[in-house]
PDB file of all heavy atoms in Angstrom:
ATOM      1  N   ASN Q 103      23.861 -17.874  -8.240  1.00  0.00           N
ATOM      2  CA  ASN Q 103      22.925 -18.758  -7.537  1.00  0.00           C
ATOM      3  C   ASN Q 103      23.440 -19.146  -6.156  1.00  0.00           C
ATOM      4  O   ASN Q 103      22.677 -19.239  -5.197  1.00  0.00           O
ATOM      5  CB  ASN Q 103      22.659 -20.024  -8.365  1.00  0.00           C
ATOM      6  CG  ASN Q 103      21.730 -19.750  -9.527  1.00  0.00           C
ATOM      7  OD1 ASN Q 103      20.986 -18.776  -9.510  1.00  0.00           O
ATOM      8  ND2 ASN Q 103      21.789 -20.594 -10.540  1.00  0.00           N
ATOM      9  N   LYS Q 116      16.591 -19.808  11.931  1.00  0.00           N
ATOM     10  CA  LYS Q 116      15.701 -19.424  13.032  1.00  0.00           C
ATOM     11  C   LYS Q 116      16.268 -18.298  13.880  1.00  0.00           C
ATOM     12  O   LYS Q 116      15.508 -17.472  14.405  1.00  0.00           O
ATOM     13  CB  LYS Q 116      15.381 -20.651  13.900  1.00  0.00           C
ATOM     14  CG  LYS Q 116      14.360 -21.575  13.260  1.00  0.00           C
ATOM     15  CD  LYS Q 116      13.701 -22.499  14.258  1.00  0.00           C
ATOM     16  CE  LYS Q 116      12.561 -23.274  13.589  1.00  0.00           C
ATOM     17  NZ  LYS Q 116      11.844 -24.140  14.546  1.00  0.00           N
ATOM     18  N   VAL Q 131       4.873  -1.742  17.676  1.00  0.00           N
ATOM     19  CA  VAL Q 131       4.564  -0.935  18.869  1.00  0.00           C
ATOM     20  C   VAL Q 131       4.783   0.549  18.574  1.00  0.00           C
ATOM     21  O   VAL Q 131       3.936   1.400  18.904  1.00  0.00           O
ATOM     22  CB  VAL Q 131       5.432  -1.384  20.070  1.00  0.00           C
ATOM     23  CG1 VAL Q 131       5.262  -0.416  21.240  1.00  0.00           C
ATOM     24  CG2 VAL Q 131       5.054  -2.799  20.488  1.00  0.00           C
ATOM     25  N   PHE Q 148     -13.889   3.069  14.218  1.00  0.00           N
ATOM     26  CA  PHE Q 148     -12.926   3.074  13.118  1.00  0.00           C
ATOM     27  C   PHE Q 148     -11.508   2.763  13.576  1.00  0.00           C
ATOM     28  O   PHE Q 148     -10.592   2.722  12.754  1.00  0.00           O
ATOM     29  CB  PHE Q 148     -12.941   4.432  12.408  1.00  0.00           C
ATOM     30  CG  PHE Q 148     -14.211   4.740  11.679  1.00  0.00           C
ATOM     31  CD1 PHE Q 148     -14.916   5.919  11.941  1.00  0.00           C
ATOM     32  CD2 PHE Q 148     -14.721   3.868  10.729  1.00  0.00           C
ATOM     33  CE1 PHE Q 148     -16.081   6.205  11.273  1.00  0.00           C
ATOM     34  CE2 PHE Q 148     -15.900   4.159  10.048  1.00  0.00           C
ATOM     35  CZ  PHE Q 148     -16.587   5.327  10.325  1.00  0.00           C
ATOM     36  N   MET Q 221       9.659  -2.578   4.984  1.00  0.00           N
ATOM     37  CA  MET Q 221       8.464  -3.398   5.202  1.00  0.00           C
ATOM     38  C   MET Q 221       8.084  -4.158   3.935  1.00  0.00           C
ATOM     39  O   MET Q 221       7.821  -5.369   3.965  1.00  0.00           O
ATOM     40  CB  MET Q 221       7.279  -2.515   5.627  1.00  0.00           C
ATOM     41  CG  MET Q 221       7.300  -2.057   7.063  1.00  0.00           C
ATOM     42  SD  MET Q 221       5.986  -0.842   7.409  1.00  0.00           S
ATOM     43  CE  MET Q 221       4.536  -1.678   6.735  1.00  0.00           C
ATOM     44  N   VAL Q 244     -10.456  -8.884   0.660  1.00  0.00           N
ATOM     45  CA  VAL Q 244     -11.658  -8.252   1.221  1.00  0.00           C
ATOM     46  C   VAL Q 244     -11.263  -7.295   2.345  1.00  0.00           C
ATOM     47  O   VAL Q 244     -11.742  -6.156   2.411  1.00  0.00           O
ATOM     48  CB  VAL Q 244     -12.656  -9.313   1.725  1.00  0.00           C
ATOM     49  CG1 VAL Q 244     -13.763  -8.665   2.548  1.00  0.00           C
ATOM     50  CG2 VAL Q 244     -13.257 -10.083   0.548  1.00  0.00           C
ATOM     51  N   PHE Q 256     -15.180   6.941   4.305  1.00  0.00           N
ATOM     52  CA  PHE Q 256     -15.494   7.436   5.650  1.00  0.00           C
ATOM     53  C   PHE Q 256     -14.418   8.383   6.204  1.00  0.00           C
ATOM     54  O   PHE Q 256     -14.503   8.814   7.344  1.00  0.00           O
ATOM     55  CB  PHE Q 256     -15.712   6.259   6.608  1.00  0.00           C
ATOM     56  CG  PHE Q 256     -16.931   5.460   6.295  1.00  0.00           C
ATOM     57  CD1 PHE Q 256     -16.856   4.343   5.462  1.00  0.00           C
ATOM     58  CD2 PHE Q 256     -18.173   5.809   6.808  1.00  0.00           C
ATOM     59  CE1 PHE Q 256     -17.983   3.590   5.154  1.00  0.00           C
ATOM     60  CE2 PHE Q 256     -19.309   5.077   6.507  1.00  0.00           C
ATOM     61  CZ  PHE Q 256     -19.224   3.966   5.678  1.00  0.00           C
ATOM     62  N   VAL Q 290       2.056 -15.412  -6.494  1.00  0.00           N
ATOM     63  CA  VAL Q 290       2.798 -16.274  -5.581  1.00  0.00           C
ATOM     64  C   VAL Q 290       2.078 -17.606  -5.427  1.00  0.00           C
ATOM     65  O   VAL Q 290       2.696 -18.683  -5.470  1.00  0.00           O
ATOM     66  CB  VAL Q 290       2.978 -15.593  -4.204  1.00  0.00           C
ATOM     67  CG1 VAL Q 290       3.525 -16.574  -3.177  1.00  0.00           C
ATOM     68  CG2 VAL Q 290       3.907 -14.382  -4.330  1.00  0.00           C
TER      69      VAL Q 290
END
Side-chain angles (χ1 to χ4, degrees):
N103 284 338
K116 283 199 173 183
V131 172
F148 293 125
M221 283 172 50
V244 169
F256 293 92
V290 170

